[in-house]
Amino acid sequence: MRLGVPREIKTHEYRVGLTPGSVRELAHRGHRVVVETGAGDGIGCSDAAYLAAGAEIAGTGAEVFAAADLVVKVKEPQPSEFPLLRDGQILFTYLHLAPDPAQTRALVESGISAIAYETVTDAAGRLPLLAPMSEVAGRMSIQVGAHCLEKEQGGAGVLLGGVPGVAPAKVVVLGGGVVGSNATRMAVGLGARVVVLDRSLARLAHIDELLLNTVETAYATMDNIEHHVLEADLLVGAVLVPGAAAPKLVSRQMVAAMRKGSVLVDVAIDQGGCFETSRPTTHAAPTFVAEGMVHYCVTNMPGAVARTSAFALNNATLPFVLALADKGLAGALSEDPHFRAGLNVHRGHVTHAAVARDLGYAFTAPESALSD
């Protein structure tokens, strides 16, 4: 199969779809890999490293898209890339379609088969291709939140861990999944007072056991959410409904009632955000102030630590890329129902139920779309 790896063009996105090590695995199996020049520069991987791994180097993204049967990216195609998509091509990347009707329409109209990293599942119902970046984003949420609490950044001037005689900051984490548990570990490590809310008692119990009673856990009722949000110095939104728009758990009125200078980090912003005051931002302009609170809502948080993120992502995605390259789309997806769950769009059909529901498309089961 012919695989293409374009350079990422989203603002301050430095990750790359395939590392040289992944390219070498593909080339060893007889596949052709075309990489756009400079695609790996952001993670310290030169064109020479890709050539040594067996790749070909193309001068432009357009050349990569034109050459590839399978395009492997990190972030969703940007509007300038929409015209490069073509009927019968396979796209494998993060898509986050529910809050992005323009991208969904472009994918449907192109005739492409688009597989989303974030909706591929495993036998336990987990999201193995989202997990590595969720780990990074969860850990980063505390790092960036602590920075935003500094007075010069617009925050309240609070040190996350406090000092002897002065109380630490209160960190409230909405969601106890991969993002939330990693955020919690980081916040505890910095000495903050941490409260985690979730609707899964099993998750709360796991966090309690993992961190040996160093955090407070609470069931995520409306009453508990409001109570803890209003006391938060740093609020982390870490909720996820796979493939669907994130629920708005924190209203504008609740944000306005928080202590001025508090910080909100909305890791759920890729799926529309879980705070009513959230709107997408970029690494170039990561924050804004709404209702007196600093909001950090960068849609590609792990891009800031591109080298760590790219290698962690490739560890997870490479087996699936190899399956697509070796077996083709139908072969790879027909024999693996968990991989098939990643198919969001196939030749004009929306094949993920949550995306179809949220954006008003007719839903076609992936099995049916592939058989057609």
Side-chain angles (χ1 to χ4, degrees):
M1 184 177 281
R2 296 171 299 174
L3 294 89
V5 183
R7 181 175 59 83
E8 298 292 330
I9 61 173
K10 188 164 186 171
T11 304
H12 288 278
E13 179 54 72
Y14 304 107
R15 290 172 291 179
V16 64
L18 293 175
T19 62
S22 296
V23 169
R24 185 177 179 184
E25 289 292 322
L26 288 155
H28 178 69
R29 298 188 185 209
H31 302 293
R32 176 189 174 198
V33 185
V34 181
V35 178
E36 183 179 353
T37 183
D41 287 352
I43 64 166
C45 294
S46 65
D47 288 354
Y50 280 101
L51 286 169
E56 303 171 30
I57 302 299
T60 66
E63 292 175 55
V64 172
F65 277 91
D69 303 310
L70 167 59
V71 176
V72 183
K73 291 180 86 281
V74 177
K75 293 305 293 181
E76 72 280 357
Q78 302 301 292
S80 64
E81 294 173 314
F82 292 168
L84 305 179
L85 306 173
R86 69 173 190 274
D87 182 64
Q89 197 171 48
I90 306 167
L91 174 66
F92 193 30
T93 189
Y94 287 117
L95 293 173
H96 300 292
L97 294 180
D100 194 347
Q103 184 201 170
T104 305
R105 183 171 57 252
L107 295 177
V108 169
E109 292 176 352
S110 71
I112 203 167
S113 297
I115 305 171
Y117 292 159
E118 72 273 9
T119 63
V120 174
T121 60
D122 66 13
R126 295 168 301 203
L127 305 171
L129 305 190
L130 188 61
M133 297 304 94
S134 294
E135 291 169 353
V136 171
R139 297 180 185 207
M140 281 189 65
S141 68
I142 303 303
Q143 182 174 303
V144 299
H147 180 60
C148 291
L149 274 171
E150 296 172 11
K151 195 68 178 179
E152 192 170 329
Q153 305 306 315
V158 174
L159 182 65
L160 212 62
V163 293
V166 181
K170 179 174 180 177
V171 176
V172 175
V173 181
L174 298 180
V178 178
V179 170
S181 60
N182 277 271
T184 299
R185 289 176 59 192
M186 290 291 288
V188 168
L190 289 173
R193 174 192 169 201
V194 186
V195 180
V196 184
L197 296 100
D198 200 287
R199 290 186 176 177
S200 167
L201 291 178
R203 287 183 184 174
L204 295 179
H206 174 69
I207 289 172
D208 188 66
E209 291 176 10
L210 182 69
L211 296 171
L212 301 176
N213 301 313
T214 57
V215 301
E216 180 181 345
T217 58
Y219 191 75
T221 62
M222 292 178 63
D223 191 62
N224 279 339
I225 290 172
E226 182 173 9
H227 170 74
H228 289 292
V229 163
L230 296 186
E231 293 184 347
D233 296 295
L234 170 57
L235 177 62
V236 178
V239 299
L240 174 69
V241 179
K248 294 292 189 287
L249 299 183
V250 179
S251 68
R252 181 173 290 275
Q253 290 75 20
M254 289 168 64
V255 173
M258 294 173 70
R259 287 193 290 266
K260 298 303 178 186
S262 296
V263 173
L264 293 83
V265 179
D266 198 342
V267 185
I269 194 65
D270 277 320
Q271 295 295 129
C274 61
F275 310 142
E276 198 171 62
T277 47
S278 293
R279 57 176 171 80
T281 62
T282 68
H283 287 295
T287 64
F288 62 91
V289 176
E291 304 295 344
M293 314 302 158
V294 180
H295 290 61
Y296 182 102
C297 303
V298 175
T299 55
N300 58 328
M301 286 179 66
V305 286
R307 184 174 175 87
T308 296
S309 297
F311 281 94
L313 181 61
N314 266 241
N315 289 341
T317 58
L318 180 58
F320 296 92
V321 175
L322 291 171
L324 284 171
D326 290 344
K327 303 171 185 177
L329 179 72
L333 300 191
S334 63
E335 67 180 41
D336 185 347
H338 306 298
F339 196 6
R340 193 162 62 242
L343 188 65
N344 280 212
V345 175
H346 179 65
R347 296 200 164 183
H349 300 282
V350 175
T351 53
H352 192 282
V355 173
R357 181 193 66 232
D358 287 351
L359 296 181
Y361 284 88
F363 167 64
T364 303
E367 297 84 357
S368 175
L370 288 167
S371 66
D372 290 343

